[in-house]
Amino acid sequence: MMKKVILTVAWLFTAPAVLLAQPLSTAPIVEEPLLVNHRLTITLDPQNQSIEVADFLTVPEEMRGQEVTFTLNANLEITASSPRVEELPSTLISGVSNTTVAGIAARKRYQVRLPSNDQEFYLTYAGQINDQAQSVGGEYAQSFSATSGIISEQGVFLSASSVWIPSFDDEFLSFSMDVSFTESAASWTAMSQGERIVDENLPATWSWRESQPMEEIYLIAADFTVYSEQAEEALIEAYLRTPDANLATRYMDATVRYLKLYEELLGDYPFNKFALVENFWETGYGMPSFTLLGPQVIRLPFILESSYPHEILHNWWGNGVYPDYNTGNWSEGLTAYLADHLFREMDGLGHEYRKQMLARYKNYVAEGTDFPLSQFTARNSAATQAVGYGKTLMMWHMLRVEIGDELFLQGLRQFYADYKFRRASFADIEALFTQLSGRDLSLFFEQWIQRTGAPALSVDVQEANGNQARIMFAQTQFDDPYILKVPVALYYEGEEEPQLYDIELSQKLEGFFAPEFDRLQGVLVDPYFDVFRTLDREETPPSVGELFGASEINFILPNSNREQWTELAQNFGANANFELLFADGIESIPADKPAWILGIDNPWASAVTEAAAVYGVNTSDTGLAMAGSEIGFDDRTTLILGRHPDNPDIAIGWLHIDDMVALPGTIE
């Protein structure tokens, strides 16, 4: 006799008193970074898309008297320098930034012998920067716009990707900047990270200072309305392109709440201000001491409780402690864990969030797109997000489960204190938590940071001698077994609550015996999704992510509107190998890959609607009914998902557009 098995607790953060643990007595040795200081005088001309800069650089002692190279945006011409710089004969350099989603602007390389004393290295340069924001990353729900840098009448956005200041190898920098505008933008505001310095003698100049080690310098400008209030933690500001005192107040009030939360959880906020800044295209960027959100994004009601705390928390992780990008970006997963995931967990739904992370990995990460966490730098696709955010988040969760809440939170506070404004690697994290817990965590970090892929589990329950249940686990992934701690819940007849066990697995096949087989009604493995693994098909219903994340997919077209449906297929299948099939030319829906069935007049639509009936979706010629509500097909676009009738491991979807005029909007 076989018992029912389901492959699928909630670990709430402890009370604030636990968070105030004493720091470790032995702190790691963290080297002081090399620090280049930039003293910048800047004139912006948005009308002509141009910038003029005078940069006085003070370099650390280790660089003095040395012959060094630096790069600068290829559109910027050096007009004066002391000592003299020499342009190196080379082709334009391109690349991708670790700290933003944009590609780096084309740049030229220069050589200079720096002064041998503490004298400043001086240069002036000018030119145009206007790389219009373009959509990148075409996967469903993952497309976004990015620019390496832009100066326009809409606004200014300059970052490390713009290479708008001289860029040396890998040195940190500090800065002061004085920004003024040409007459056509006399009402504009310039802002950056750090603290604004107000000089009453220079009312038309915006001055900013930051003495802590930074990875880059941001310059943002537009015709903003500025709102501010002084809180205990920092100056709270909102820079809005359209005046809206109510909107500004909601964000500033939320900022105060989140700063209090994270200061109590992790330690003091590292800056003296935090600002919400409205961008002129849709973004969700977290910079040191401010966030840059798009005009539609900031007006979505749920952003205050979702994306906004995520961007604030980046001031601790990513902009307070910097990832060592050469060994992997741990900060996105940790930020998501302590923001997006934490708020769901506080509502008792942390397990649902973790399940979503596992589903995204299953849907979007194929064998050819997977990679270890040690290679993640920044998101540029659904697959990189599923690994770099989702798998990293699960790594942090499993570490927390492994060592317990108190040590986990104590370790985070110590990690922040030791590495504030320094780079830290996964190896640094491993060393700190190993020391704190008194346990060798090398195998834990090795398998989750360096390995590609995920464990896959199957379970078999059989009756054994003496009325025992033999519960056998198999790790079915092709690669070597993982070392896992897997929660298991045993449900017995007559008992309201299950018996919970943590089962340690390290072999491809192993198990344990449980008593009273005759009373055992169910075995739930990892019921709250505490382990990073490949989800079993029965754990999740079909999702649209399975279709958009598929590497190969079929599109089955009806007789009508074939030209328009073909256009949709070419867009939906842009990141996959896809095949166009005609409904009247096939005898069955191919069972080797997921499929879109397009159009209400498609004879294969019934295969999807019949498959969806198991989820309580009933359809008729005029509409569908679910959860007691009826929804007609008229004047809307309808999407229904189901499992393939001949291969339940893959999804099929039926899409109906009532008026093909809506096709462009559906594609977007």
Side-chain angles (χ1 to χ4, degrees):
M1 179 179 179
M2 181 179 294
K3 293 291 186 179
K4 181 179 181 181
V5 175
I6 302 176
L7 275 180
T8 56
V9 307
W11 302 82
L12 294 178
F13 276 95
T14 48
V18 177
L19 307 181
L20 304 178
Q22 294 297 315
L24 297 175
S25 58
T26 303
I29 298 174
V30 184
E31 294 183 0
E32 289 292 323
L34 296 179
L35 193 63
V36 176
N37 180 262
H38 296 258
R39 184 164 60 89
L40 299 154
T41 301
I42 301 161
T43 301
L44 287 170
D45 184 355
Q47 187 175 43
N48 292 307
Q49 305 166 358
S50 65
I51 185 172
E52 295 181 6
V53 180
D55 189 1
F56 295 81
L57 297 92
T58 303
V59 300
E61 185 174 350
E62 293 85 347
M63 295 175 62
R64 295 174 188 172
Q66 301 296 313
E67 191 168 73
V68 300
T69 61
F70 67 89
T71 57
L72 190 66
N73 190 303
N75 289 331
L76 300 176
E77 181 181 355
I78 296 177
T79 54
S81 68
S82 179
R84 186 176 63 87
V85 303
E86 178 183 355
E87 181 180 344
L88 295 177
S90 62
T91 57
L92 297 181
I93 308 166
S94 60
V96 178
S97 171
N98 288 327
T99 56
T100 69
V101 297
I104 301 177
R107 55 207 191 277
K108 294 180 180 179
R109 189 177 298 276
Y110 299 87
Q111 182 175 281
V112 62
R113 181 170 292 280
L114 296 172
S116 57
N117 51 28
D118 58 0
Q119 180 181 351
E120 291 178 317
F121 164 42
Y122 162 84
L123 72 163
T124 62
Y125 51 92
Q128 291 183 318
I129 298 177
N130 189 26
D131 175 21
Q132 292 294 322
Q134 297 182 357
S135 179
V136 296
E139 289 93 335
Y140 170 75
Q142 300 300 333
S143 60
F144 45 82
S145 295
T147 172
S148 64
I150 184 170
I151 301 172
S152 74
E153 292 182 283
Q154 290 181 291
V156 173
F157 172 82
L158 298 176
S159 70
S161 293
S162 314
V163 204
W164 69 282
I165 61 171
S167 176
F168 297 90
D169 287 336
D170 200 27
E171 284 75 15
F172 284 104
L173 52 85
S174 59
F175 70 91
S176 63
M177 69 164 73
D178 299 321
V179 184
S180 59
F181 296 90
T182 54
E183 185 176 352
S184 62
S187 64
W188 280 37
T189 298
M191 70 88 57
S192 182
Q193 69 254 53
E195 177 184 12
R196 186 188 172 202
I197 307 299
V198 178
D199 186 342
E200 295 180 356
N201 297 319
L202 299 172
T205 299
W206 295 84
S207 301
W208 295 90
R209 307 285 187 272
E210 181 53 75
S211 59
Q212 296 287 1
M214 296 282 106
E215 291 185 301
E216 58 185 303
I217 302 175
Y218 292 95
L219 177 53
I220 312 297
D223 191 4
F224 291 120
T225 298
V226 182
Y227 303 85
S228 66
E229 65 179 52
Q230 183 64 53
E232 181 180 349
E233 295 76 18
L235 177 66
I236 311 302
E237 296 184 307
Y239 290 70
L240 299 182
R241 296 170 62 83
T242 302
D244 191 332
N246 289 333
L247 181 66
T249 298
R250 290 200 300 274
Y251 271 94
M252 291 192 296
D253 289 348
T255 301
V256 173
R257 294 198 307 272
Y258 295 133
L259 290 182
K260 287 181 180 294
L261 168 67
Y262 289 123
E263 281 202 332
E264 188 172 28
L265 192 70
L266 301 169
D268 291 343
Y269 178 65
F271 301 100
N272 56 19
K273 77 135 188 327
F274 185 83
L276 164 74
V277 183
E278 181 179 1
N279 202 5
F280 55 98
W281 78 94
E282 295 306 323
T283 51
Y285 294 155
M287 285 78 167
S289 79
F290 72 98
T291 182
L292 192 64
L293 302 182
Q296 295 183 38
V297 169
I298 64 172
R299 290 168 174 84
L300 295 172
F302 57 85
I303 292 298
L304 274 172
E305 305 298 331
S306 56
S307 299
Y308 194 58
H310 181 108
E311 304 306 340
I312 289 177
L313 182 57
H314 264 310
N315 289 279
W316 279 264
W317 311 127
N319 295 322
V321 179
Y322 306 121
D324 178 358
Y325 292 100
N326 292 325
T327 60
N329 180 355
W330 48 263
S331 70
E332 291 294 356
L334 181 56
T335 302
Y337 187 59
L338 295 179
D340 314 66
H341 173 271
L342 173 60
F343 288 99
R344 293 290 298 278
E345 189 175 36
M346 292 169 67
D347 292 332
L349 298 173
H351 61 289
E352 288 291 340
Y353 190 89
R354 295 191 293 274
K355 181 180 178 181
Q356 291 175 11
M357 296 299 99
L358 298 178
R360 288 182 182 178
Y361 180 84
K362 180 179 177 66
N363 293 339
Y364 289 111
V365 181
E367 183 176 349
T369 59
D370 203 356
F371 57 92
L373 297 187
S374 59
Q375 294 180 11
F376 173 68
T377 55
R379 180 197 76 175
N380 54 37
S381 67
T384 54
Q385 183 176 20
V387 176
Y389 287 62
K391 184 176 181 179
T392 309
L393 179 149
M394 291 298 299
M395 184 280 295
W396 285 107
H397 179 71
M398 289 184 292
L399 177 62
R400 174 185 168 192
V401 172
E402 185 73 24
I403 66 174
D405 282 3
E406 184 174 356
L407 288 181
F408 180 73
L409 292 171
Q410 183 180 347
L412 290 181
R413 291 175 66 85
Q414 190 64 42
F415 180 46
Y416 173 64
D418 290 344
Y419 288 93
K420 185 160 56 175
F421 298 122
R422 305 290 188 269
R423 288 195 178 93
S425 65
F426 277 115
D428 296 322
I429 296 167
E430 176 188 337
L432 188 151
F433 281 96
T434 292
Q435 179 193 32
L436 180 64
S437 65
R439 298 171 52 187
D440 183 358
L441 297 173
S442 58
L443 293 178
F444 175 91
F445 280 92
E446 171 69 23
Q447 70 178 8
W448 298 121
I449 306 306
Q450 303 299 336
R451 286 187 64 170
T452 298
L457 299 176
S458 67
V459 183
D460 179 70
V461 182
Q462 299 286 347
E463 183 176 12
N465 293 333
N467 193 27
Q468 294 188 97
R470 183 178 60 193
I471 303 175
M472 297 298 298
F473 296 84
Q475 295 193 39
T476 60
Q477 72 276 0
F478 178 78
D479 294 329
D480 293 338
Y482 286 77
I483 299 174
L484 303 173
K485 180 185 290 185
V486 182
V488 177
L490 305 183
Y491 288 83
Y492 282 96
E493 181 182 3
E495 298 181 13
E496 292 186 4
E497 298 296 327
Q499 298 181 21
L500 300 176
Y501 300 89
D502 283 331
I503 307 302
E504 295 186 358
L505 304 178
S506 60
Q507 306 297 322
K508 278 286 194 173
L509 182 66
E510 56 191 316
F512 70 101
F513 290 97
E516 299 184 272
F517 176 83
D518 58 349
R519 292 182 52 240
L520 185 61
Q521 294 185 317
V523 178
L524 269 64
V525 179
D526 192 23
Y528 289 97
F529 306 96
D530 292 303
V531 179
F532 181 73
R533 58 185 174 81
T534 302
L535 286 177
D536 187 82
R537 171 177 52 80
E538 294 186 0
E539 293 181 274
T540 57
S543 70
V544 70
E546 292 184 59
L547 298 172
F548 282 106
S551 58
E552 295 183 312
I553 193 165
N554 288 321
F555 290 88
I556 301 176
L557 279 57
N559 291 324
S560 61
N561 300 313
R562 282 189 173 176
E563 183 176 346
Q564 292 97 321
W565 287 122
T566 298
E567 179 185 358
L568 180 139
Q570 290 170 340
N571 281 272
F572 278 15
N575 294 288
N577 294 323
F578 69 91
E579 185 175 357
L580 299 179
L581 305 174
F582 299 117
D584 56 3
I586 60 175
E587 297 182 356
S588 63
I589 302 173
D592 59 337
K593 64 190 71 169
W596 284 100
I597 290 87
L598 305 176
I600 197 169
D601 56 340
N602 195 313
W604 299 104
S606 60
V608 184
T609 57
E610 289 171 6
V614 70
Y615 305 109
V617 179
N618 299 305
T619 57
S620 66
D621 292 338
T622 59
L624 59 87
M626 59 181 180
S629 300
E630 295 186 1
I631 304 172
F633 292 142
D634 293 341
D635 300 323
R636 60 171 44 89
T637 296
T638 304
L639 170 63
I640 299 177
L641 300 169
R643 291 287 174 195
H644 194 293
D646 299 321
N647 184 358
D649 286 329
I650 62 175
I652 52 177
W654 171 63
L655 181 65
H656 162 58
I657 302 176
D658 187 57
D659 189 336
M660 296 304 286
V661 173
L663 179 70
T666 304
I667 291 174
E668 292 179 4

